[in-house]
Amino acid sequence: MERKVNRIYLASEPDTIHFLQVAWEKTLGSGFVITLTDGQSAWTGTVCESEISQEADDMAMEKEKYVDELRKALVSGAGPTDTYKFNFSKESCHFSFEKNLKDVSFRLGSFNLEKVANPAEVIRELICRCLDTIAENQAKNEHLQKENERLLRDWNDVQGRFEKCVSAKEALETDLYKRFILVLNEKKAKIRSLNKLLNEVQELEKNIEHKRETPTCSEMTTDRDAIYDESTDEESEIPPNPSVLSPATVRRDDSIISSPDVTDIAPTRKRRQRMQKNLGTEPKMASQENRLQEKEKYSLASCHA
């Protein structure tokens, strides 16, 4: 059976301390035994589950909420001292309690108690119960104190390990940073040397190409001039300008014109021979033009390279 003792003050005797003990088997809502004493006399009573349900119905409250209000008033003593008001009549042995809400108060419950014939025994049990509770609480406090000390030692141990880990981490970071700086500087120096070497090689290649391009361009110019200076068969076959004909030729033409008409095949043969010569010069001119184009292409390719 679970027991709880609470100290209360009656409205009729505000200067006198009374002790109220509540004991129950399963839950407070299933019924409980109430005991009231002032240190000299004692009163006791039993409240069954049906009475609790009846009180809850009279107040139009749910049973769970009403039981919670009983626990606050009789067991835990929650809230300010003036929240609950207790009344007890020694003549009628009627015990009641109310809850104050600002200027309004309403009755939570009332029970009829019976006076105990041997109050000393009840008071003795009450004192023993209080001493047992004090011993239990003291044992719990000692256990909690030991547990707190153990947790404090563990916390100090963890803190020490953590500080060591932090120190090791900082030392490792410093060492790694120094190594990283060394490697970084080496890589930078290597990159600079390679870049310098690359620039030198590129400059050397440019100079070599420039030297190659100069004689090639000069040779191309010489070849082109030589080709242009050559005469072709076509130029050799160009007939003389009629404006610069000699007087003998003029006189011969005049004699021919003045002579009677003669059928002659010579002009026809001359034209055929001239056409054959022209046909013979065309391949020569084409071959020279092809050779000139090939030289120009080779020269341009060498310049671009």
Side-chain angles (χ1 to χ4, degrees):
M1 179 178 288
E2 188 174 357
R3 300 172 185 268
K4 294 292 182 181
V5 178
N6 192 17
R7 181 174 53 188
I8 64 173
Y9 295 90
L10 299 178
S12 58
E13 301 177 13
D15 297 333
T16 303
I17 298 175
H18 289 73
F19 298 94
L20 181 67
Q21 175 183 265
V22 180
W24 64 92
E25 288 289 344
K26 297 179 181 180
T27 60
L28 190 64
S30 61
F32 55 89
V33 178
I34 184 172
T35 301
L36 179 64
T37 180
D38 58 357
Q40 297 177 357
S41 302
W43 298 266
T44 183
T46 302
V47 180
C48 61
E49 184 177 3
S50 59
E51 293 179 357
I52 296 174
S53 300
Q54 184 63 37
E55 289 288 345
D57 293 339
D58 293 342
M59 297 184 63
M61 293 177 63
E62 295 180 358
K63 183 178 179 180
E64 290 77 8
K65 188 175 182 180
Y66 179 73
V67 171
D68 185 61
E69 291 291 339
L70 288 178
R71 182 178 291 104
K72 292 178 182 179
L74 303 178
V75 177
S76 61
T81 56
D82 57 348
T83 302
Y84 298 97
K85 180 180 179 181
F86 299 94
N87 297 312
F88 178 68
S89 175
K90 294 182 179 180
E91 290 78 12
S92 61
C93 297
H94 184 75
F95 178 79
S96 63
F97 54 97
E98 300 175 354
K99 184 176 182 179
N100 298 323
L101 296 174
K102 294 183 179 180
D103 298 335
V104 180
S105 62
F106 60 94
R107 183 178 62 85
L108 282 177
S110 61
F111 314 109
N112 293 322
L113 305 180
E114 295 180 358
K115 189 173 183 179
V116 178
N118 190 4
E121 185 68 22
V122 175
I123 295 171
R124 187 182 301 111
E125 291 179 359
L126 184 62
I127 294 173
C128 291
R129 177 60 186 169
C130 291
L131 293 175
D132 293 340
T133 303
I134 292 172
E136 291 176 1
N137 292 334
Q138 187 175 0
K140 290 180 180 180
N141 290 336
E142 291 177 355
H143 175 71
L144 293 175
Q145 185 66 26
K146 292 179 180 179
E147 189 69 17
N148 290 336
E149 292 176 357
R150 183 185 65 81
L151 293 174
L152 182 60
R153 288 194 301 270
D154 294 343
W155 184 81
N156 291 331
D157 186 20
V158 171
Q159 186 178 10
R161 293 181 181 180
F162 181 73
E163 291 177 354
K164 291 181 180 179
C165 292
V166 171
S167 301
K169 172 181 171 293
E170 292 177 352
L172 181 62
E173 287 180 349
T174 303
D175 183 54
L176 290 176
Y177 182 73
K178 291 179 179 178
R179 295 184 181 183
F180 172 75
I181 291 299
L182 293 176
V183 174
L184 182 63
N185 292 334
E186 292 178 359
K187 296 296 182 182
K188 285 183 177 179
K190 190 173 182 180
I191 291 172
R192 284 194 293 267
S193 63
L194 291 175
N195 192 15
K196 183 178 179 181
L197 181 60
L198 179 62
N199 292 332
E200 292 177 355
V201 172
Q202 290 179 351
E203 187 67 24
L204 182 60
E205 290 180 353
K206 289 181 180 179
N207 294 334
I208 294 172
E209 290 178 358
H210 181 69
K211 290 179 180 180
R212 288 179 179 177
E213 289 174 0
T214 302
T216 303
C217 293
S218 62
E219 291 177 359
M220 180 185 68
T221 306
T222 305
D223 294 341
R224 185 180 300 173
D225 294 339
I227 291 170
Y228 287 156
D229 290 339
E230 292 179 357
S231 61
T232 61
D233 295 338
E234 188 176 12
E235 291 177 350
S236 61
E237 295 295 332
I238 295 175
N241 192 350
S243 61
V244 294
L245 293 177
S246 61
T249 306
V250 172
R251 286 194 301 269
R252 188 179 59 185
D253 292 339
D254 291 339
S255 62
I256 292 172
I257 294 172
S258 61
S259 62
D261 296 336
V262 178
T263 305
D264 191 1
I265 61 173
T268 305
R269 184 170 61 252
K270 290 180 180 179
R271 285 197 298 272
R272 184 170 59 253
Q273 292 176 356
R274 190 181 295 113
M275 290 176 62
Q276 290 177 356
K277 289 181 180 180
N278 292 335
L279 292 173
T281 57
E282 288 179 358
K284 293 181 181 179
M285 294 174 61
S287 61
Q288 290 178 357
E289 290 177 357
N290 292 334
R291 186 169 62 255
L292 179 61
Q293 290 178 0
E294 290 178 357
K295 287 185 178 181
E296 288 179 354
K297 289 181 180 179
Y298 176 77
S299 301
L300 291 175
S302 300
C303 293
H304 287 297

